[in-house]
Amino acid sequence: VEAAGSQVKDECAQYAGQSYRDFFTTQGGKLLCSKIIHLLYNNDVENLVSKVLNECELRMYKSVAFPAIGTGQGKLSPREAADDMLDAIVEFARERSVQHLKKIRIIIFQTTMLRDFYTSMKKREHSCPSTKESQAQIKSVFLRKTQPTKKEKHLALEKKIYLATFQICGVSKQKVEETEAWINKLILNEQIANIVSDELIEHFDERQINTLTDLQKKNLVTIQLENKSPIPQVKISGISKDVCFVSGEVQKMIKKMKDTKLEEYKAELVFSQVEWRYLGSNDRFVAFDKLTNMQLEDAKIAKKTHLTVKIDMKNYQVDLKSLQANDDQGKTISIQRVPKNEGKL
């Protein structure tokens, strides 16, 4: 309050002796904020933080900064304070659709508390909600000082990361830098990157991009498409077990594309040798699509008696001996098999 100046002191004096809830709000005064929320401390830190977060959302505040509540005169251990405060933040994000409050800071003044808060955050890294609307998620830990990033192609999907910020105060610049390096080391120890390379990556279309977008939203990873390499690559970086999972999903996606390409090649080859047709509404025979054409030929080679196909968006049961197709209402259509090279078939 001293640092905020006389205006804030006077506002606080107006609340003296009045009955109010667990907190009251004043102007920011000389501090670098628009408002100050003053708490009437009790032992239920989680409830206090929860009420403040809901008040911020109600007042449409975009950010809020907390001290380590209860670790001073409240005599709470840093571990208890961290658990209570982060429980409230996670629950706030899970239970409601947050529209306005986008940044929640916890200011740690004593370096000895950092490990307790970091450990508490690690325990909750997968308890945050995954819905788009939950804008107060804890997705990654970053320092206030950031480095410029290289401009790379990002699959036309931009991951929105909501920051948990450490503001480090210390007795000297050296101590602050040592603490920053220690936090960076903790973060980097949890990060890995993996690269999946394949020629087919260059042919990713909207379906594959949407799949990657979904994987990125649901996991603690960043996905980048790198087409400038000799072989196109998908780079996945983030939390180790999520990177492993997403890498496996990308491999499955590429395998599915390869299987589809192989199927298309086989269908093209069969179509060059034989053409299956059905009698259309104008009494002219119409060629089946190439995939159905291949399925009919494969069924004949395998000596199957029947095969279900689609004609004009309806299911028909084809009798491969009589070359008749029947739907479930008794309608019959004639089928025709026309070899394109009689000498080889």
Side-chain angles (χ1 to χ4, degrees):
V1 176
E2 293 290 336
S6 58
Q7 179 188 356
V8 174
K9 276 187 175 181
D10 292 342
E11 283 190 72
C12 289
Q14 293 175 12
Y15 284 96
Q18 296 182 21
S19 60
Y20 50 86
R21 299 175 297 172
D22 298 301
F23 59 85
F24 61 88
T25 303
T26 66
Q27 298 299 316
K30 295 180 180 179
L31 299 182
L32 297 178
C33 60
S34 60
K35 303 287 182 182
I36 302 173
I37 298 177
H38 305 262
L39 299 179
L40 178 62
Y41 178 75
N42 59 53
N43 291 327
D44 194 349
V45 171
E46 182 177 347
N47 184 51
L48 281 176
V49 173
S50 178
K51 287 183 176 180
V52 170
L53 292 174
N54 282 287
E55 177 73 6
C56 290
E57 178 66 14
L58 181 66
R59 302 294 179 187
M60 295 187 289
Y61 298 154
K62 294 182 183 289
S63 65
V64 62
F66 291 94
I69 297 173
T71 55
Q73 294 182 353
K75 297 183 179 179
L76 275 182
S77 69
R79 180 183 59 78
E80 291 174 314
D83 286 345
D84 285 350
M85 294 184 72
L86 290 170
D87 278 344
I89 293 170
V90 170
E91 196 63 28
F92 171 73
R94 178 186 291 121
E95 287 189 347
R96 61 182 297 161
S97 176
V98 181
Q99 299 296 321
H100 306 288
L101 185 60
K102 296 183 179 180
K103 193 175 290 185
I104 302 170
R105 295 185 175 95
I106 299 177
I107 312 300
I108 309 296
F109 290 99
Q110 298 177 355
T111 56
T112 54
M113 293 185 186
L114 286 174
R115 183 175 294 275
D116 294 290
F117 276 82
Y118 181 80
T119 301
S120 187
M121 290 179 70
K122 286 293 299 172
K123 288 191 298 186
R124 291 159 178 79
E125 68 177 2
H126 291 298
S127 62
C128 295
S130 58
T131 56
K132 295 179 184 177
E133 294 81 8
S134 299
Q135 298 179 353
Q137 299 177 39
I138 302 173
K139 282 289 189 183
S140 276
V141 182
F142 286 82
L143 296 177
R144 185 176 182 85
K145 185 168 69 177
T146 58
Q147 301 296 331
T149 56
K150 295 180 181 179
K151 291 184 178 179
E152 295 180 354
K153 189 174 180 180
H154 278 264
L155 297 178
L157 53 93
E158 180 182 352
K159 187 175 185 183
K160 296 182 178 178
I161 301 175
Y162 299 97
L163 309 181
T165 304
F166 287 105
Q167 294 183 340
I168 306 168
C169 302
V171 295
S172 67
K173 180 180 179 182
Q174 179 184 352
K175 290 295 183 182
V176 170
E177 289 176 347
E178 287 175 357
T179 303
E180 179 179 344
W182 174 74
I183 296 174
N184 267 321
K185 184 178 178 181
L186 286 176
I187 296 168
L188 291 174
N189 285 342
E190 297 294 328
Q191 307 288 313
I192 67 168
N194 187 46
I195 292 176
V196 179
S197 303
D198 199 281
E199 296 287 353
L200 284 177
I201 292 171
E202 189 176 8
H203 303 288
F204 277 5
D205 60 20
E206 188 176 353
R207 291 169 299 174
Q208 284 80 44
I209 298 300
N210 287 340
T211 300
L212 291 174
T213 301
D214 194 50
L215 285 169
Q216 186 170 247
K217 287 178 180 177
K218 292 181 178 178
N219 297 276
L220 296 175
V221 298
T222 298
I223 302 175
Q224 293 172 288
L225 182 64
E226 300 179 353
N227 276 329
K228 293 182 180 179
S229 305
I231 301 177
Q233 299 176 341
V234 173
K235 183 178 180 181
I236 305 123
S237 54
I239 301 298
S240 55
K241 66 187 185 71
D242 284 3
V243 169
C244 292
F245 170 74
V246 172
S247 297
E249 293 300 303
V250 172
Q251 293 281 15
K252 289 178 186 176
M253 186 166 60
I254 292 172
K255 182 181 182 302
K256 185 177 180 181
M257 289 179 68
K258 287 181 177 178
D259 291 344
T260 301
K261 291 286 185 185
L262 180 60
E263 194 87 342
E264 290 172 355
Y265 172 77
K266 287 169 61 180
E268 192 70 41
L269 181 61
V270 171
F271 187 74
S272 70
Q273 296 173 331
V274 64
E275 184 173 297
W276 287 79
R277 305 169 179 172
Y278 63 91
L279 190 62
S281 57
N282 57 356
D283 290 331
R284 290 185 180 181
F285 280 94
V286 180
F288 282 100
D289 65 84
K290 293 177 182 179
L291 184 59
T292 304
N293 187 78
M294 180 183 68
Q295 291 169 347
L296 284 163
E297 187 65 15
D298 286 348
K300 180 182 183 299
I301 293 171
K303 297 183 178 179
K304 293 183 179 179
T305 57
H306 294 84
L307 180 71
T308 300
V309 300
K310 281 194 178 294
I311 299 175
D312 294 332
M313 304 302 291
K314 291 179 64 177
N315 286 332
Y316 281 80
Q317 185 86 349
V318 176
D319 186 320
L320 292 166
K321 289 184 178 180
S322 66
L323 295 183
Q324 298 290 316
N326 300 286
D327 67 5
D328 55 4
Q329 296 178 347
K331 182 180 178 180
T332 300
I333 295 178
S334 295
I335 302 297
Q336 190 180 68
R337 178 182 181 272
V338 182
K340 294 186 176 180
N341 191 329
E342 292 287 357
K344 292 185 179 182
L345 288 177

